Amino acid sequence: EILMTQSPATLSVSPGERATLSCRASQSIAINLAWYQQKPGQAPRLLISGASTRAPGIPARFSGSGSGTGFTLTISSLQSEDFAVYYCQQYNDWPRGTFGQGTKVEIK
Amino acid sequence: EVQLVDSGGGLVQPGGSLRLSCAASGFTFSDYWMSWVRQAPGKGLEWVANIKQDGSEKYYVDSVKGRFTVSRDNAKNSLYLQMNSLRAEDTAVYYCARDVTAITGDYFDYWGQGTLVSVSS
């Protein structure tokens, strides 16, 4: 099983600042990585697939990068609606798409 | 507009059974693999099961094999999860999700709102 590790667990950021979230895979997953955003009481929302391709309707301030075992989600200028929990998910290991434990982005 | 509406959750005793449903609309349901993903209270996400477009292939996370059964009715645009021999550790919000099938695996582009399953005596 491929293990996904996200860091940090909590990120405190001021509105308008940049946020950088990390996700590491226990073995190479090429670019088979997705990022999701989840707000309290809501279902997850797909942000990015293929490590760097934004889903339809996702603002350009969200960007993804990385390949192999190391990946980054960057939010260039945090808006109030971006404070949420973010999960990465690998889909290189059919059919078991494992998720990271999440990074909570909170208001500083 | 793609919509997935989850239902069927509730409180059940350990060892009991429950059947979850997911009603899909706004897309051609029979064209997609579908999954169930769960989230224990205050915890992260865990893929549970998925099913091929025609129902001919099904896969499960090890912890539910032999206890849970995923099925679908394409005529009714519905996905189901039959959960038997429930345990306290199955307590979670269960989401149905539409799979985007890549060469190596699936990710999820649409999610239901979730239905809460609580297993407790």
Side-chain angles (χ1 to χ4, degrees):
Chain A
E1 179 183 344
I2 299 176
L3 299 180
M4 305 301 294
T5 303
Q6 292 185 242
S7 62
T10 303
L11 187 61
S12 298
V13 185
S14 299
E17 289 189 341
R18 174 187 296 261
T20 302
L21 291 67
S22 295
C23 175
R24 184 158 297 274
S26 60
Q27 63 190 73
S28 178
I29 59 170
I31 58 168
N32 298 309
L33 184 98
W35 288 95
Y36 302 87
Q37 176 194 68
Q38 187 179 35
K39 297 179 181 179
Q42 296 186 17
R45 178 174 72 144
L46 175 67
L47 297 176
I48 285 173
S49 62
S52 62
T53 302
R54 279 190 302 276
I58 300 304
R61 63 181 182 273
F62 291 92
S63 63
S65 64
S67 65
T69 61
F71 301 87
T72 300
L73 175 69
T74 301
I75 311 171
S76 60
S77 177
L78 270 161
Q79 307 297 303
S80 57
E81 62 266 29
D82 300 335
F83 292 96
V85 179
Y86 292 83
Y87 293 96
C88 62
Q89 179 228 338
Q90 68 79 17
Y91 53 95
N92 197 66
D93 181 25
W94 170 265
R96 290 170 294 274
T98 49
F99 293 86
Q101 80 280 17
T103 290
K104 181 180 181 180
V105 177
E106 64 176 23
I107 300 174
K108 187 175 181 179
Chain B
E1 178 193 5
V2 173
Q3 278 201 313
L4 298 171
V5 179
D6 302 319
S7 61
L11 176 63
V12 61
Q13 293 187 338
S17 298
L18 213 53
R19 188 195 196 206
L20 306 184
S21 299
C22 170
S25 60
F27 66 102
T28 304
F29 181 71
S30 58
D31 283 349
Y32 289 86
W33 281 79
M34 296 293 295
S35 284
W36 289 97
V37 178
R38 66 183 177 183
Q39 186 171 36
K43 303 297 184 182
L45 300 163
E46 180 184 41
W47 170 81
V48 173
N50 65 359
I51 183 169
K52 193 177 180 179
Q53 291 92 331
D54 62 0
S56 62
E57 293 183 37
K58 306 174 184 181
Y59 299 93
Y60 301 91
V61 67
D62 286 348
S63 60
V64 309
K65 283 180 182 175
R67 300 189 299 122
F68 289 12
T69 302
V70 60
S71 62
R72 64 193 296 162
D73 185 335
N74 288 339
K76 294 183 178 180
N77 291 334
S78 292
L79 177 72
Y80 306 101
L81 186 66
Q82 177 67 43
M83 303 186 296
N84 298 331
S85 304
L86 281 160
R87 306 167 180 168
E89 54 265 36
D90 296 318
T91 294
V93 174
Y94 285 74
Y95 298 98
C96 73
R98 191 176 82 168
D99 288 28
V100 178
T101 302
I103 294 174
T104 56
D106 291 0
Y107 57 96
F108 314 106
D109 63 347
Y110 287 94
W111 298 64
Q113 86 286 0
T115 186
L116 176 62
V117 173
S118 296
V119 184
S120 174
S121 54

